[in-house]
Amino acid sequence: MADHRAITAVCHSIIKLLETRSQSVDFNSQLQFKVYLAGDFAEKPITAGVSLFLYRIFINTAYRNPPGRIRHPGQRDKIQLPLDLHFLLTAWGPDATLQHSIAGWMMRTLADRPILATHELDAEASNSFNRDEAVEIVIGELNNEMIIRIWYMLLDTKYQLSVPYVARNVHIDSSETISEGLPVQACGGWRSFPPHPPQAKKILERDLIAGRLDVPDLPDAWNTRFEHDFGQ
């Protein structure tokens, strides 16, 4: 699907989508949109806006061994690496009214735009995705206990309203290829030629007696199948 930049491209594309869509909404406050590391929660908290924290990367079990792309005849990439990206979107605000409004708007926006198209992903990592690729964003399954545990591990940071999401089926291509057999050009057995050629019976009988199955003396232009019936 994409190269090694796919993970960062997805995270920044989501933040860019929210930032762009926020310009049409009046929150009476200047919003910030950032991709966070764990240390950012304590060191660089947002006053008002949305942060994305990637807390887990897991193999997509529905597409465990997707085949690699064909590069040249007989050459294929090694199997793709299918990933699900689990992240928290946190709504920040100095008061409950603004924080709740941001959370509701954030969820509504991703419900309206659950698919990240190639041009959105490539805007953050040029030429990292192929033209036919997209990433789906869905609500994650994370109970309250796990959310609180994540926040507890973030250096005792005070809890902020957060919603779990998953970016599903992010495929990362291999940079290595494997060799495959070329497509079959002809099967063993009778060679093709037009029906009832005048010399077919004699040549075929001669080659069969000699132990040869090929019929090299027949013209290359013969394309139709000759059925194994000497009586034709």
Side-chain angles (χ1 to χ4, degrees):
M1 180 180 182
D3 61 24
H4 61 279
R5 299 171 294 170
I7 295 174
T8 188
V10 170
C11 292
H12 283 87
S13 295
I14 295 170
I15 284 297
K16 184 65 175 179
L17 170 64
L18 293 173
E19 183 176 12
T20 301
R21 303 277 287 192
S22 71
Q23 296 173 4
S24 61
V25 182
D26 185 10
F27 289 103
N28 293 319
S29 181
Q30 184 67 36
L31 302 188
Q32 296 175 282
F33 298 86
K34 294 182 179 180
V35 177
Y36 261 24
L37 294 176
D40 294 331
F41 285 90
E43 298 173 6
K44 296 180 289 185
I46 292 175
T47 302
V50 178
S51 66
L52 183 153
F53 175 57
L54 181 65
Y55 66 90
R56 184 190 188 198
I57 301 175
F58 200 70
I59 297 294
N60 183 295
T61 56
Y63 300 91
R64 186 171 291 275
N65 293 307
R69 291 182 177 271
I70 297 176
R71 298 298 181 182
H72 304 285
Q75 293 289 323
R76 179 188 291 272
D77 290 348
K78 290 185 176 180
I79 61 172
Q80 296 175 340
L81 180 65
L83 302 177
D84 285 347
L85 310 182
H86 298 252
F87 58 92
L88 288 179
L89 286 181
T90 301
W92 298 82
D95 55 69
T97 299
L98 180 57
Q99 186 183 56
H100 297 169
S101 297
I102 293 173
W105 163 82
M106 170 186 75
M107 296 180 70
R108 180 67 261 178
T109 298
L110 292 182
D112 291 338
R113 298 286 302 276
I115 304 297
L116 294 176
T118 305
H119 70 275
E120 295 173 300
L121 297 165
D122 271 349
E124 303 302 322
S126 180
N127 298 321
S128 60
F129 286 80
N130 293 303
R131 294 180 180 179
D132 58 344
E133 295 172 339
V135 173
E136 183 182 14
I137 310 300
V138 299
I139 287 286
E141 297 181 4
L142 193 64
N143 58 39
N144 292 335
E145 180 182 354
M146 287 302 299
I147 292 179
I148 297 301
R149 183 176 299 178
I150 290 174
W151 277 94
Y152 178 77
M153 292 187 296
L154 295 175
L155 303 176
D156 296 327
T157 304
K158 293 181 180 179
Y159 176 75
Q160 299 290 329
L161 185 59
S162 301
V163 184
Y165 280 91
V166 181
R168 294 197 306 192
N169 212 23
V170 179
H171 287 192
I172 298 182
D173 286 327
S174 175
S175 60
E176 299 183 7
T177 59
I178 55 177
S179 297
E180 293 185 332
L182 294 173
V184 175
Q185 302 297 320
C187 297
W190 315 125
R191 180 169 294 181
S192 298
F193 49 82
H196 314 301
Q199 70 271 44
K201 180 178 177 180
K202 291 183 179 180
I203 293 176
L204 184 58
E205 288 177 336
R206 184 195 68 191
D207 285 355
L208 287 173
I209 292 172
R212 299 191 298 270
L213 292 179
D214 290 335
V215 193
D217 296 330
L218 297 180
D220 294 335
W222 295 348
N223 297 321
T224 59
R225 180 179 299 279
F226 174 76
E227 297 183 1
H228 185 203
D229 184 354
F230 293 167
Q232 295 189 26

